[in-house]
């Protein structure tokens, strides 16, 4: 999971196993990340805009891959 905040930060884990962030959802004074395993490496990026945060993540993880055409399903139109 990746957290992109409107407050100018992004947070993500190095590997991307199944897991979830709980930012004050179950307890207003507690932020939790749950995932299998005993060790984790997290990255924190700071930037003034969402675009800057996405670029900072791309520098470390590589560019975001586009969605494959097949995942969009069958497109049929009378105009084509």
């Amino acid at each position: 999971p990746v957290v992109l905040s409107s407050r100018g930060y992004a947070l993500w884990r190095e590997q991307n196993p199944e897991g979830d962030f709980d930012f004050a959802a179950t307890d207003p004074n507690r932020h939790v990340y749950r995932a299998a395993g005993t060790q984790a490496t997290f990255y924190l990026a700071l930037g003034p805009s969402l675009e800057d945060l996405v670029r900072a993540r791309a520098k470390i993880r590589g560019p975001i891959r586009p969605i494959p055409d097949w995942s969009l399903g069958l497109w049929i139109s009378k105009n084509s």
Side-chain angles (χ1 to χ4, degrees):
V2 178
V3 175
L4 298 167
S5 172
S6 61
R7 294 185 179 211
Y9 68 88
L11 177 68
W12 69 93
R13 187 173 172 179
E14 183 174 10
Q15 287 81 23
N16 202 13
E18 289 186 29
D20 65 298
F21 286 102
D22 176 351
F23 286 113
T26 55
D27 181 345
N29 298 312
R30 192 168 178 191
H31 302 313
V32 177
Y33 175 74
R34 293 180 199 90
T38 57
Q39 294 183 344
T41 301
F42 286 90
Y43 291 97
L44 176 66
L46 304 174
S49 70
L50 176 61
E51 183 178 350
D52 291 323
L53 298 174
V54 171
R55 285 180 197 219
R57 183 173 185 268
K59 276 185 176 179
I60 295 169
R61 298 276 306 177
I64 297 171
R65 293 177 291 193
I67 298 172
D69 290 340
W70 60 262
S71 68
L72 298 173
L74 182 60
W75 286 70
I76 297 176
S77 171
K78 289 198 261 179
N79 298 328
S80 58

